[in-house]
Amino acid sequence: AIRMTQSPSSFSASTGDRVTITCRASQGISSYLAWYQQKPGKAPNLLIYAASTLQSGVPSRFSGSASGTDFTLTISYLQSEDFATYYCQQYYIYPLTFGGGTKVEIK
Amino acid sequence: EVQLLESGGGLVQPGGSLRLSCAASGFTFSNYAMSWVRLAPGKGLEWVSAISGTGGSTYYADSVKGRFTISRDNSRNTLYLQMNSLRAEDTALYYCAKGGADHTPFDYWGQGTLVSVSS
C-alpha cells in the first residue's frame, strides 16, 4: 500500500498567518492527490484535487502544489474558520490511503 | 443539492453483524462510484471500501477484506455496507462518500453513522 506521510501532525498558528502542510507519498501517484478539511463533529470537506485544482466554492486562500512525490497545501492568510484538521489522500491506486492528518490550532 | 444520509449504525458485540445504508439524492446515482470511509476515535480517516457505478467492481481495505461487503441498489439510490465478524477495532464513525473509483476524489460526504463494537 502507498504510505502518505503528513507533516507536521499538529501546530499552532495565528489568524493572518501563512501556513504550509506537507504530504509525501511513498511512491509515485502522478497528480492523484486530494486535500480535505475536517472540523470536529463535521464531515470532511474536499478542498483541493488533482494536487492543485481548487474545488468549487473553496476560498482562493487555499492552494496546492506538487513536486514529484511531495505535495503541499498552503493557506495564504489563515482565517478563524480554518482551524481544523487537514488530510491528504491518494486516489491513484487501491487501497486508497490518507495521511495521518494535521491539526491546526489557535495560538 | 447532493445529499448523502447514512443509517444503520449502533452498538454490537464482537463477532456480530450490522448493515449500514446510505441514501443518496441530488445526482444521478448510477453514474458514480461510491465509497465508505471511517474515522476511529483518536485516529485519522481510513478508506474502507468502494464500488463502481454499475456495482460490477468492488474494492476493499485489507483490514476489512473477507468480513465486509459493499453493494448498491441503483433503483433505490442506496449504498450498503454489510459488516460481519465485527471487532473492537471496527468501532468508528462510518461515512458514505461519493467517488473513490476511476481516479476520483471524495467530493461529497454524508454526516456519518456511528458503529460501536463492545461486549
Side-chain angles (χ1 to χ4, degrees):
Chain A
I2 296 176
R3 182 174 178 85
M4 305 300 293
T5 303
Q6 248 181 275
S7 61
S9 57
S10 66
F11 67 95
S12 299
S14 301
T15 54
D17 285 352
R18 179 183 178 89
V19 303
T20 298
I21 299 168
T22 298
C23 182
R24 173 169 289 176
S26 61
Q27 64 188 76
I29 59 170
S30 187
S31 294
Y32 296 110
L33 188 284
W35 290 97
Y36 302 88
Q37 176 193 67
Q38 186 171 33
K39 298 179 181 179
K42 299 293 186 181
N45 182 47
L46 176 65
L47 300 175
I48 302 277
Y49 63 96
S52 60
T53 302
L54 197 66
Q55 173 71 344
S56 176
V58 174
S60 59
R61 63 180 180 274
F62 291 92
S63 63
S65 64
S67 177
T69 57
D70 291 338
F71 300 85
T72 300
L73 173 69
T74 299
I75 309 173
S76 60
Y77 192 86
L78 200 64
Q79 300 289 288
S80 57
E81 60 265 33
D82 301 336
F83 292 97
T85 299
Y86 294 84
Y87 294 93
C88 63
Q89 180 239 336
Q90 67 82 15
Y91 51 100
Y92 176 66
I93 196 169
Y94 293 105
L96 307 181
T97 45
F98 289 88
T102 296
K103 187 173 184 180
V104 180
E105 298 175 299
I106 301 173
K107 184 181 288 184
Chain B
E1 179 192 5
V2 172
Q3 291 193 340
L4 300 170
L5 183 61
E6 302 95 335
S7 60
L11 175 63
V12 61
Q13 292 187 338
S17 298
L18 276 178
R19 188 175 84 152
L20 306 184
S21 300
C22 171
S25 61
F27 64 104
T28 305
F29 184 67
S30 59
N31 284 356
Y32 294 93
M34 297 293 295
S35 295
W36 291 97
V37 178
R38 66 186 181 185
L39 181 66
K43 300 289 184 70
L45 295 171
E46 179 189 18
W47 169 77
V48 172
S49 184
I51 187 168
S52 63
T54 62
S57 298
T58 57
Y59 311 89
Y60 298 94
D62 286 346
S63 57
V64 307
K65 198 172 295 182
R67 300 187 299 123
F68 290 11
T69 302
I70 192 171
S71 62
R72 64 193 296 159
D73 184 340
N74 286 345
S75 67
R76 296 177 181 268
N77 288 351
T78 303
L79 175 72
Y80 302 100
L81 185 68
Q82 177 67 45
M83 304 187 296
N84 298 331
S85 303
L86 283 161
R87 306 167 180 167
E89 54 265 35
D90 295 318
T91 293
L93 186 60
Y94 283 73
Y95 295 103
C96 164
K98 175 176 169 284
D102 300 324
H103 295 309
T104 57
F106 305 120
D107 57 355
Y108 291 94
W109 299 65
Q111 288 305 304
T113 186
L114 184 61
V115 173
S116 295
V117 184
S118 175
S119 54

